[in-house]
Amino acid sequence: MADVHRVVMCDLVPESLVRYPVTASRAVRVAQYLGLPPDEMALTPGSDSALRLICQHHARRGGAAVLLQDPNYVAVAQSAAALGLTVERVTAPRADPAAQGAALVDLAARTTGALIAVSVPNGLSGGSMDDSYLGKLADLAYEREHLLIIDSCYQAFAGPLGAHFARRGDAVFVVQSMSKSHGLAGARVAVTAASASAIAALGTAPLEHAVSEVALRALLNAIDHHDEFVSIWAEVRRCRERAIERTRAAGWEVLDSDANFVAAAPPHGLASARLVEELSRAGYRVKDLGELAGLANCIRFTVGDDATTDAFLDVLLNVADELRNVPGDACATEL
């Protein structure tokens, strides 16, 4: 991936930085790549910008409530708080996507005019809500005057890159960052798809032009190297499944994942915070999910290529075994 992105830096000239970017023709190329009509897609500097725009649109149309799959990205909850919207969080043990899907469908059927927000695959647990629940939520969005956000930034590691875009419409917004799929977190560029009228109602034009020239070049370069990214996504999926198999065999409680990471709770009552601390000493940055709803004592680790993933798993399992023999402070207080 580094070699792919290095092309962008070699291609930059001073004029790239001192002139405003030409966005329209680039947006058309991105739309073609994703199989979208250009007027049913907008580019924003990152997915958080898109999520804020949709929350603002919801508030302008008189919406007051947000039904949020939880845990989830913070952008929706933060935007809702800033706008004075009421957030109802839908949780489940181990962030079970089936339980959350059923609960969200039930809530959506009993309310009107809400903003429903889900991430598929989920950005913290990695699990994917079943298509049947997404379909019911989309139907209810039209029947009950809701808006539905499907944030699919990890979709490349679950299946076809643009699979969720087929659900776009007047009441359904599909937001997909290129940060994870194409390794462009530093570029800050995302795609939002909906009907042409819904995209126009967001008022995305100013933000679309705020996508930098460097980000646009990086995105188009990534598109030109699509086959290489397809190979990367396949390798990540293969390494993810092997990581799940190895950790489960070692006694971990491992959540199903369709993302480029795995969420799991260590065995033997080991505390997630203590484990993360020791992994940091070993040179690995791992996220402690222990404070999130439904994910008590879980950690989340990203998978990479074969060699990187295997080396990390060796360290992870060895550190867990060593902590098991440390009395007292390595144990979790709540599971």
Side-chain angles (χ1 to χ4, degrees), residues 93-232:
R94 288 305 186 233
D96 177 49
Q100 289 180 323
L104 279 167
V105 167
D106 179 65
L107 272 174
R110 292 187 285 106
T111 57
T112 58
L115 174 64
I116 307 166
V118 299
S119 59
V120 186
N122 184 269
L124 282 305
S125 71
S128 290
M129 189 177 295
D130 190 79
D131 281 350
S132 63
Y133 291 118
L134 290 176
K136 290 175 183 176
L137 289 173
D139 290 342
L140 286 167
Y142 292 101
E143 294 171 14
R144 309 289 295 182
E145 298 183 338
H146 299 307
L147 294 178
L148 172 63
I149 297 173
I150 302 174
D151 191 322
S152 57
C153 75
Y154 288 100
Q155 175 57 30
F157 310 106
L161 178 64
H164 291 298
F165 288 138
R167 298 190 185 278
R168 71 189 186 280
D170 290 339
V172 180
F173 295 89
V174 181
V175 178
Q176 195 155 320
S177 168
M178 298 298 178
S179 297
K180 281 75 178 177
S181 59
H182 293 77
L184 295 174
R188 305 298 298 156
V189 59
V191 171
T192 299
S195 68
S197 59
I199 290 294
L202 290 183
T204 57
L207 275 177
E208 182 170 292
H209 290 289
V211 177
S212 74
E213 175 70 14
V214 175
L216 289 169
R217 285 179 180 240
L219 178 55
L220 295 186
N221 175 68
I223 288 173
D224 289 339
H225 291 82
H226 174 73
D227 289 346
E228 294 173 55
F229 282 101
V230 169
S231 296
I232 292 170

Side-chain angles (χ1 to χ4, degrees), residues 44-81:
T44 59
S47 58
D48 285 359
S49 296
L51 297 174
R52 283 193 293 270
L53 279 174
I54 299 169
C55 287
Q56 290 165 3
H57 173 55
H58 176 55
R60 284 196 303 270
R61 65 198 291 268
V66 175
L67 311 181
L68 179 65
Q69 177 196 31
D70 185 46
N72 221 310
Y73 306 114
V74 299
V76 172
Q78 288 178 341
S79 298

